[in-house]
């Protein structure tokens, strides 16, 4: 019938996508998602289907949908639409034109199951093991830093703000409004991001630094210096101090080199003693003495450290600018799942770049 899509028409369209360099095709070729199946099945604890009913979606398929969301910054509703609309998404997921597509609620429920089980850390570790098996072993030291991840701003009165600061749960703050309580994030916090003064076209500096208020969470990461892959991470509210996180599992003790780079927020006596106790060498920036000029040799040492430490900014640019990371969920546990999935997706993108760069000409 004229105008009807045939089998070879679809194959030709896929061939054209491949010729154009479909990034998801590269991802499918370089990342084997089957090793995630054991962990996903263990977390979901699904029945054997003896009671009947519609069979659930394949857990690896659902996990790949979450990766697509992270890669392209999609909400659940946007993910459902894009899967139906884009041939590249369908091919990545292994779906035909006549296949059922998970709706937004199904995607949300699947992510909720991962959140309740705290499974994202295990999934991250599983992929990190795959990276090491491919030869991407953490070496040459590690770089630590944190980035603010914004969330929808809350509109609260002074009493509600104080109750949240005091640690009251949402159902106690709004006992007669359960729907409102379910939509209020009492875990996220405000903080101020200070942007350094920049020079204008004539080279003159702005009179003061710019303070930008941000509401949300922080993604604390540790990357390896050689490959730029995220090796450790944790999520806190936006107001949490960066330096205190160093001793909370942010150090990759398996990194083959002992050097640790970080900015001045991580410089403290407790952190220096901790790094020394586990055999690591601190390359953390030294702070400027209060009321005194910075010694010249310290300023030069900090500048050399900055040349290495700045590599972590590429990670945050990938997560926030290219992948559009934004927390639309409610609560720290869900934010941890959301940000953790983005960290996994970033490493997958980074793997494609590394493999492409190392491929023979």
């Amino acid at each position: 019938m004229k105008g009807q899509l045939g089998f070879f028409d679809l194959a030709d369209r896929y061939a054209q996508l491949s010729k154009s360099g479909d990034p998801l095709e590269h991802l499918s070729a370089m990342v084997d998602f089957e090793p995630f199946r054991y962990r996903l099945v263990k977390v979901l604890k699904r029945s054997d289907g003896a009671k009947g009913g519609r069979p659930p979606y394949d857990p690896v398929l659902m996990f790949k949908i979450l990766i697509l969301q992270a890669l392209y910054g999609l909400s659940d509703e946007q993910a459902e639409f894009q899967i139906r609309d884009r041939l590249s998404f369908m091919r990545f997921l292994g779906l035909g034109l006549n296949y059922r597509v998970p709706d937004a609620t199904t995607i949300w429920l699947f992510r909720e199951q991962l959140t309740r089980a705290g499974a994202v850390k295990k999934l991250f570790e599983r992929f990190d093991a795959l990276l090491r098996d491919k030869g991407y072993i953490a070496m040459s030291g590690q770089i630590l830093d944190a980035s603010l991840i914004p969330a929808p701003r809350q509109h609260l009165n002074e009493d509600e703000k104080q109750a949240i600061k005091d640690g009251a749960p949402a159902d106690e703050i709004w006992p007669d409004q359960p729907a409102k309580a379910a939509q209020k994030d009492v875990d996220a916090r405000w903080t101020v991001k200070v942007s350094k003064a920049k020079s204008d076209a004539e080279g003159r500096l702005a009179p003061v630094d710019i303070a930008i208020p941000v509401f949300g969470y922080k993604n604390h990461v540790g990357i390896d210096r050689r490959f730029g892959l995220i090796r450790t991470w944790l999520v806190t509210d936006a107001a949490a101090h960066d330096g205190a996180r160093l001793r909370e599992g942010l150090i990759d003790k398996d990194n083959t080199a002992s050097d640790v780079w970080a900015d001045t927020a991580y410089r403290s006596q407790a952190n220096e003693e901790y790094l020394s106790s586990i055999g690591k060498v601190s390359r953390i920036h030294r702070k400027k003495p209060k009321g005194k000029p910075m010694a010249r040799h310290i300023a030069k040492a900090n500048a050399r450290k900055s040349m290495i430490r700045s590599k972590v900014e590429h990670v945050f640019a990938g997560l926030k600018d290219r992948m559009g990371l934004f927390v639309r969920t409610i609560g720290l546990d869900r934010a941890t799942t959301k940000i953790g999935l983005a960290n996994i997706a970033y490493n997958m993108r980074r793997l494609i770049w590394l493999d492409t760069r190392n491929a023979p000409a």
Side-chain angles (χ1 to χ4, degrees), residues 143-188:
I143 307 170
L144 311 182
D145 206 349
S147 179
L148 292 167
I149 310 299
R153 299 184 176 189
Q154 308 287 294
H155 300 283
L156 308 170
N157 59 40
E158 292 302 321
D159 292 338
E160 292 169 342
K161 291 178 182 178
Q162 187 59 49
I164 290 175
K165 289 180 181 179
D166 294 339
D171 56 358
E172 289 186 9
I173 301 174
W174 300 280
D176 301 326
Q177 298 173 284
K180 182 176 181 178
Q183 295 299 318
K184 291 297 183 181
D185 192 341
V186 298
D187 293 334

Side-chain angles (χ1 to χ4, degrees), residues 206-219:
V208 293
D209 293 342
I210 302 172
I212 304 172
V214 179
F215 180 81
Y217 295 90
K218 268 186 185 177
N219 184 19

Side-chain angles (χ1 to χ4, degrees), residues 70 98 136 155 239 246 282 287 306 359:
N98 60 330
Y136 296 107
H155 300 283
L246 183 145
S282 172
K287 299 178 182 179
S306 292

Side-chain angles (χ1 to χ4, degrees), residues 299-319:
K300 286 185 175 181
N302 281 349
R304 289 193 297 269
K305 294 172 183 176
S306 292
M307 294 176 65
I308 296 173
R309 194 194 64 79
S310 61
K311 292 182 178 180
V312 75
E313 299 302 334
H314 296 285
V315 177
F316 296 137
L319 287 166

Side-chain angles (χ1 to χ4, degrees), residues 241-254:
H241 190 273
D242 297 353
R245 311 282 82 80
L246 183 145
R247 304 185 302 276
E248 296 180 1
L250 206 55
I251 293 294
D252 180 11
K253 297 180 181 179
D254 294 328

